[in-house]
Amino acid sequence: FFFQAEDGIRDSVASRGLGDVYKRQVSTQSTWDQRMGKNRHSKDKLWISYSEHANEWGGKKAEKKGDKFQKLPFFCCALSLMPFSNPVCTKEGVMFDLVNIIPYLKKYKKNPINGQPLAIADLIKLQFPKNAKGDYYCPV
């Protein structure tokens, strides 16, 4: 009495049931794993991960130096971005040049930074010290 296993291999040993066939296949599978390396294709997949895309496929662009946000120097107007001659500030501490903020407030009547209502009377006049060259310097 011969038993044909599911994989089509004929065995000359009489079968004692399906359990015997599967036990022999496991030993055959283990020798296959030893020759080819266990879990050889365990990392095969049909997609690429974010890190593979970024690093191997050119998906991540190199960061450009110098394109980052830079703070405005303390001696510049937040509206014109130019150095001020008559500094004033709001209650929030945003500094403007009086020459630039007065026409803006007369026309729009709001803070150009946050959009909240702002009157000319709400501005605070500032006194900045100057060095020997006549440039503003931070007193702190």
Side-chain angles (χ1 to χ4, degrees):
F1 169 73
F2 291 100
F3 183 80
Q4 184 174 357
E6 290 180 3
D7 59 359
I9 300 172
R10 292 195 176 268
D11 197 351
S12 62
V13 179
S15 175
R16 292 183 297 231
L18 287 176
D20 189 39
V21 173
Y22 288 121
K23 286 179 187 173
R24 284 185 296 210
Q25 286 181 353
V26 170
S27 64
T28 307
Q29 183 66 31
S30 64
T31 57
W32 173 263
D33 288 342
Q34 290 171 356
R35 282 185 290 157
M36 297 303 292
K38 190 167 184 168
N39 298 328
R40 181 170 178 256
H41 298 287
S42 66
K43 295 185 179 183
D44 287 351
K45 55 191 182 281
L46 299 175
W47 68 89
I48 58 174
S49 66
Y50 171 77
S51 59
E52 289 172 335
H53 176 66
N55 298 324
E56 298 170 12
W57 295 90
K60 183 176 181 180
K61 306 294 184 226
E63 292 182 18
K64 296 179 183 176
K65 294 185 179 183
D67 286 350
K68 294 182 180 179
F69 176 76
Q70 295 180 354
K71 287 185 175 182
L72 189 64
F74 77 93
F75 56 86
C76 290
C77 171
L79 187 60
S80 67
L81 307 177
M82 300 296 292
F84 47 66
S85 55
N86 300 313
V88 293
C89 76
T90 62
K91 290 185 285 184
E92 294 86 19
V94 181
M95 291 187 284
F96 299 103
D97 191 358
L98 191 63
V99 175
N100 296 320
I101 194 67
I102 296 293
Y104 185 89
L105 290 178
K106 285 183 180 179
K107 184 174 182 180
Y108 298 107
K109 297 178 177 45
K110 63 180 181 176
N111 188 331
I113 304 301
N114 59 16
Q116 299 295 322
L118 182 66
I120 296 173
D122 296 335
L123 296 174
I124 303 165
K125 182 154 176 57
L126 299 175
Q127 298 292 326
F128 275 102
K130 293 184 179 182
N131 61 12
K133 294 180 182 177
D135 298 328
Y136 292 109
Y137 70 92
C138 184
V140 177

